[in-house]
Amino acid sequence: MHIDTLPQYSKLPSNHISACTVIVVDVLRASTSIIWAVKNGAKQIVPTADAGEAASVVNRLGLNDCVLAGERGGEKLAGFDIGNSPAEFNQERVYGKTVVISTTNGTVAIHGMNSAKTLLIGGMINRTAVAKKAIELGNDVLIVCAGTDGTVSADDICAAGAIADAIINNSSEPCFVTDFTRVSISLYKDFLDDRFDLASTYHYSRLLSLGFTEDPVFCFQEDITDVIPVYENGIITRCR
Ligand code: MLT
């Protein structure tokens, strides 16, 4: 199995990923929020490329059955029901509902990778489960870091390394990893050993300065769920 990692989302030719399992990682916070919404019984998640598309999807589906979620620059979008803190995607709010979500980077990356053979949503909270699913599917793996505002985001690199490490440790066959995948694993190991201070990096520290102090703590818990969201035909549901 070949494991590659994209440092930040960028559009790739369809034929580059049509045979791959793509794992989109936006650990702070879109991936984590989506995983948590699916875990809490959301009927489906509709990731949209922008806020306007999100509003039109809700109008088409009907307000009563939808929760409109999303942020720009970390803060809740005006007129939306909730922002992008995972804790907002609780059972009371999302159970049985269609969550229509638009975020600055994460949902754009999910949309952009839609020609993958299989597109999974990964984070720290489902790290081992998503790794084992990738092994089970047996395709080459591309872990896509969403990034922040069009540049590399250390939080995503760390989470990507955690997932790559879990694939290697759980795979019974040899894994061939690219240099950047090795870099991401090394960053993850440094993070675990307190040799890399994620809290000082741009996106993490911006969330703290905006008052979202609980979100990074929640998002960096390892393996608190085995739920694996999968994106197919424009919607995200639980992968069986
Ligand atoms: C993103 O999609 O860029 C992130 O989820 C942003 C955030 O939640 O603050």
Side-chain angles (χ1 to χ4, degrees):
M1 174 183 292
H2 190 270
I3 308 173
D4 193 4
T5 304
L6 206 54
Q8 67 180 87
Y9 166 67
S10 60
K11 192 69 181 151
L12 294 176
S14 298
N15 64 340
H16 284 209
I17 55 177
S18 56
C20 286
T21 295
V22 169
I23 302 172
V24 172
V25 176
D26 185 343
V27 64
L28 293 176
R29 305 163 287 181
S31 291
T32 307
S33 293
I34 289 169
I35 296 162
W36 209 236
V38 173
K39 186 258 179 198
N40 284 323
K43 177 183 171 187
Q44 61 186 1
I45 317 276
V46 180
T48 60
D50 56 52
E53 183 191 349
S56 63
V57 168
V58 169
N59 289 333
R60 177 162 47 85
L61 296 177
L63 280 169
N64 293 335
D65 300 325
C66 293
V67 175
L68 189 50
E71 56 68 44
R72 284 298 178 275
E75 298 197 275
K76 183 171 85 76
L77 280 157
F80 277 43
D81 300 313
I82 57 177
N84 198 27
S85 290
E88 295 179 275
F89 296 79
N90 57 48
Q91 256 193 15
E92 182 184 3
R93 174 70 83 159
V94 306
Y95 187 84
K97 299 278 190 179
T98 293
V99 177
V100 182
I101 184 169
S102 172
T103 69
T104 314
N105 306 276
T107 56
V108 174
I110 293 167
H111 252 262
M113 288 290 156
N114 60 11
S115 52
K117 183 171 187 177
T118 304
L119 198 168
L120 305 175
I121 310 298
M124 294 296 277
I125 65 171
N126 73 345
R127 162 190 180 237
T128 301
V130 76
K132 287 181 175 176
K133 177 57 70 173
I135 294 165
E136 176 193 321
L137 291 167
N139 309 311
D140 284 343
V141 176
L142 175 66
I143 303 172
V144 176
C145 300
T148 295
D149 302 339
T151 186
V152 166
S153 202
D155 48 286
D156 288 337
I157 308 297
C158 181
I163 293 169
D165 183 60
I167 294 173
I168 293 164
N169 291 336
N170 287 278
S171 178
S172 58
E173 64 172 82
C175 293
F176 305 95
V177 297
T178 59
D179 282 3
F180 192 75
T181 301
R182 290 183 190 282
V183 168
S184 68
I185 294 170
S186 180
L187 177 60
Y188 167 61
K189 297 288 177 68
D190 282 352
F191 165 71
L192 288 181
D193 296 340
D194 289 327
R195 289 198 303 268
F196 186 86
D197 177 21
L198 265 186
S200 65
T201 59
Y202 174 70
H203 182 44
Y204 194 126
S205 59
R206 179 173 67 174
L207 287 174
L208 296 180
S209 66
L210 290 170
F212 298 112
T213 52
E214 290 306 309
D215 287 357
V217 174
F218 183 88
C219 293
F220 272 88
Q221 298 174 102
E222 288 201 19
D223 294 331
I224 61 172
T225 180
D226 61 0
V227 164
I228 309 157
V230 60
Y231 177 80
E232 294 170 300
N233 304 317
I235 66 165
I236 296 170
T237 54
R238 181 168 185 169
C239 184
R240 296 298 172 194

